[in-house]
Amino acid sequence: MTRVLAGILATIWALLALPPQAVEWQRWWASDSPHTWVRWLYDSLPYRALERALAAQGLDDRYLVFGVAIVPSMLLAWWAMNPALCRFGPLGRALSGGWLVLAPVTLLSYLNHPSDAPLHALWGAEAFVLAAIFLFSIVVAVAAARRRGVALRVRLLLAATPLIGIAATLAGGYWPHATMIGIGVQSIVLARWSLADRRGERIRP
């Protein structure tokens, strides 16, 4: 049950981290305004007060602060999904490792976003990690077609990872924050199915 709760927390955390980051991205690049529901959350919750409090502490790079804020969601989602992914064998464990690697890569990406940062080339690197994870998820799902103990619906959910991630990104208008909302929901389902399997409940394909 703790892993299910971790997936729920990952989803909620990503949802709360999205509005200030999406608004800050719009300020930086004069891009289209955040989606209406994202802007509504930003205006409804005390984000402006939080930004002022952070600035008072010298944390005035809001793009960095709220960008790094997505890392806990990534770690929580990974922890929620890990048992379910490990049931796919070595490839599943490698996929789980990919989700774990995403967190430090994202951290380094945002830390090095300034043009004069020593590792500025890593800015945006999480996009490539996510793309690799999405594609590898399909490979793992297909390779497990004949693996005993992995139900069809679990394989289908894993194979749908790219669709879930892309749909969430489009719905929120920013990655990886909006992406992790969808992945967080996926982690809840995977953790719940893994819990049911450990309890001896029969998961029908």
Side-chain angles (χ1 to χ4, degrees):
M1 183 58 69
T2 55
R3 293 187 189 268
V4 175
L5 291 175
I8 294 172
L9 286 175
T11 306
I12 294 174
W13 188 272
L15 180 63
L16 292 176
L18 171 62
Q21 186 68 0
V23 169
E24 186 62 19
W25 179 257
Q26 188 271 333
R27 289 171 180 162
W28 264 48
W29 301 100
S31 60
D32 293 339
S33 297
H35 291 353
T36 302
W37 70 271
V38 177
R39 186 76 204 198
W40 178 84
L41 278 178
Y42 180 81
D43 293 335
S44 301
L45 297 175
Y47 287 112
R48 291 183 177 85
L50 176 60
E51 290 170 353
R52 289 193 296 271
L54 290 171
Q57 300 299 318
L59 299 174
D60 52 359
D61 188 343
R62 289 175 292 191
Y63 177 76
L64 169 61
V65 172
F66 293 112
V68 169
I70 196 59
V71 172
S73 177
M74 293 174 172
L75 292 173
L76 286 165
W78 163 77
W79 195 72
M81 291 187 288
N82 182 57
L85 295 179
C86 287
R87 292 185 62 228
F88 284 82
L91 289 179
R93 288 190 288 273
L95 178 60
S96 178
W99 281 115
L100 180 58
V101 167
L102 177 64
V105 170
T106 301
L107 176 63
L108 288 173
S109 170
Y110 280 109
L111 287 174
N112 288 279
H113 80 86
S115 58
D116 59 348
L119 298 176
H120 181 65
L122 289 178
W123 185 35
E126 72 275 7
F128 299 100
V129 178
L130 275 171
I133 289 173
F134 287 170
L135 293 175
F136 193 52
S137 295
I138 299 174
V139 173
V140 174
V142 172
R146 296 183 179 276
R147 187 175 183 83
R148 297 181 61 182
V150 181
L152 176 59
R153 64 178 182 177
V154 180
R155 298 198 303 269
L156 290 176
L157 178 60
L158 188 63
T161 300
L163 297 179
I164 295 169
I166 293 172
T169 303
L170 293 176
Y174 184 85
W175 54 267
H177 295 53
T179 315
M180 289 308 302
I181 297 174
I183 299 303
V185 173
Q186 183 187 33
S187 75
I188 296 170
V189 178
L190 286 173
R192 177 64 186 89
W193 285 347
S194 180
L195 176 64
D197 184 56
R198 289 201 307 273
R199 286 177 174 174
E201 299 174 15
R202 186 178 179 187
I203 302 177
R204 297 183 179 275

